[in-house]
Amino acid sequence: MARSRRLNRAGLDMARSRRLNRAGLKRLGRRCLVAAIVLAAIPVVLTFLYLPSFVHPISTLMLKDLATFSGYDRRWVSIDDVAPVLAHSVIMSEDGQFCFHRGVDLGELRGVVDDALAGEATRGASTITMQTVKNLFLWSRPLGSVRKVVELPLAIYFDAVMSKRRIMEIYLNIAEWGPGIYGIEAAAQHHFGVSAKQLSRRQAALLAVSLPNPIARNPARPGPGLRRLANLIERRAGRSGAYVGCLD
C-alpha cells in the first residue's frame, strides 16, 4: 500500500512538472512573439520618422562605432549639394534599375535564385534600397541569409513610403567609404579634399566603384582593376539618361 502511494505521488509530481514545463514554454513563446512584433515595428515606425529632409538618420555601423568608442566622420549633406554625377555614377555602378523597380529588382533576384538552384556561384542582387534598409536597420554578418529574408520585405515597404530622391539622399549619407568614413561629404573631403558638390566625373566614378568594398578599395589610390571599373562607370554615367530620371 505504501509503495502504491509513493508511485501515485511520483506520477502526480511528474504530471505537475510536465504542466509547469508546458506553461513555461507557452510564456516563452508569448515573450518571443512580443519581442518579434516590437522588433518588426521599429523599422516601420522609423521609416516614417525619416521622411522629413531635416531628419538625419544614422546606420547600425555608426551605432557600433559609437558603442565601441571608435568614433566616425559623417557630415550630412542635402542631395541638392551633391554633384549629380556622383548619384548617377552610384546608380550605374550599384543598381541600374533603381528608378524602375519597387525596392527589389525581381529580374536580378530570379537570376540569383536560378544560379543557386543550378549550383553555380551567385552574384549580388542588392538594390540601393536594400542596401539602405540594411545599413539603417539590420546587420551585415554573420547570418547573411537570414538577414536577406528580413531585408526584402523591408526594402519593398521602404520604397513604397519613401521617394526615390529621399532614398538616395539617405543612402549617400550613410554609406561607408572607408574605415570610420560615412556619407558622401566626409568621403569627398577625406579622399579628394573637395566638397561633395565639387566632385568631378572621375572622382565620382572612383567613389562609386569603391562602395562594394570600401575597406579594401581606396578611391584616392586606385589599382589597375579599380581604374578600369571607374572608366566603365564614368562612361555609363555620362549616358545614364532615363536611368537616373527619378532623381530630377
Side-chain angles (χ1 to χ4, degrees):
M1 183 67 72
R3 185 171 180 273
S4 176
R5 282 198 298 270
R6 284 197 300 272
L7 288 173
N8 288 337
R9 192 159 47 246
L12 290 172
D13 289 342
M14 288 178 64
R16 189 180 301 113
S17 178
R18 284 196 293 268
R19 285 197 299 272
L20 289 172
N21 286 337
R22 284 197 295 268
L25 287 173
K26 286 181 181 178
R27 283 196 299 271
L28 179 61
R30 284 195 294 269
R31 289 171 183 170
C32 289
L33 179 60
V34 170
I37 292 171
V38 170
L39 287 174
I42 289 173
V44 172
V45 174
L46 286 178
T47 296
F48 278 97
L49 293 179
Y50 293 162
L51 279 170
S53 59
F54 61 80
V55 177
H56 301 165
I58 64 173
S59 70
T60 52
L61 279 177
M62 292 184 213
L63 287 173
K64 178 186 73 69
D65 286 347
L66 287 175
T68 56
F69 303 101
S70 302
Y72 62 81
D73 184 7
R74 197 280 290 269
R75 311 166 204 183
W76 185 278
V77 63
S78 165
I79 195 170
D80 294 326
D81 292 322
V82 176
V85 70
L86 183 279
H88 299 172
S89 298
V90 168
I91 288 177
M92 301 314 293
S93 177
E94 293 286 287
D95 182 9
Q97 297 300 310
F98 174 70
C99 286
F100 306 108
H101 62 62
R102 295 298 177 218
V104 176
D105 189 335
L106 295 177
E108 284 292 314
L109 192 60
R110 277 193 294 268
V112 171
V113 173
D114 289 343
D115 288 346
L117 292 175
E120 299 176 7
T122 58
R123 60 191 182 276
S126 285
T127 64
I128 286 173
T129 313
M130 290 168 66
Q131 293 176 55
T132 303
V133 298
K134 181 198 75 174
N135 291 342
L136 284 176
F137 307 126
L138 304 174
W139 61 94
S140 294
R141 289 182 177 86
L143 300 177
S145 57
V146 176
R147 188 200 72 220
K148 285 292 183 185
V149 173
V150 181
E151 192 177 293
L152 290 172
L154 266 181
I156 295 170
Y157 167 73
F158 201 75
D159 187 270
V161 174
M162 293 269 183
S163 69
K164 294 287 188 179
R165 189 172 172 83
R166 178 60 172 164
I167 292 172
M168 178 61 72
E169 182 175 64
I170 293 174
Y171 178 67
L172 293 180
N173 278 286
I174 63 173
E176 187 180 23
W177 261 289
I181 306 298
Y182 296 97
I184 187 56
E185 183 66 23
Q189 295 280 358
H190 177 80
H191 292 297
F192 298 116
V194 299
S195 71
K197 196 167 190 174
Q198 296 172 317
L199 286 166
S200 68
R201 289 186 302 169
R202 184 62 178 172
Q203 290 167 340
L206 285 166
L207 284 164
V209 296
S210 71
L211 275 171
N213 193 350
I215 304 302
R217 297 180 179 183
N218 188 331
R221 292 193 293 274
L226 204 61
R227 287 197 295 269
R228 283 194 296 272
L229 280 174
N231 291 339
L232 175 63
I233 295 306
E234 190 174 350
R235 290 195 298 271
R236 287 181 177 176
R239 302 192 298 265
S240 52
Y243 286 100
V244 298
C246 60
L247 299 183
D248 296 336

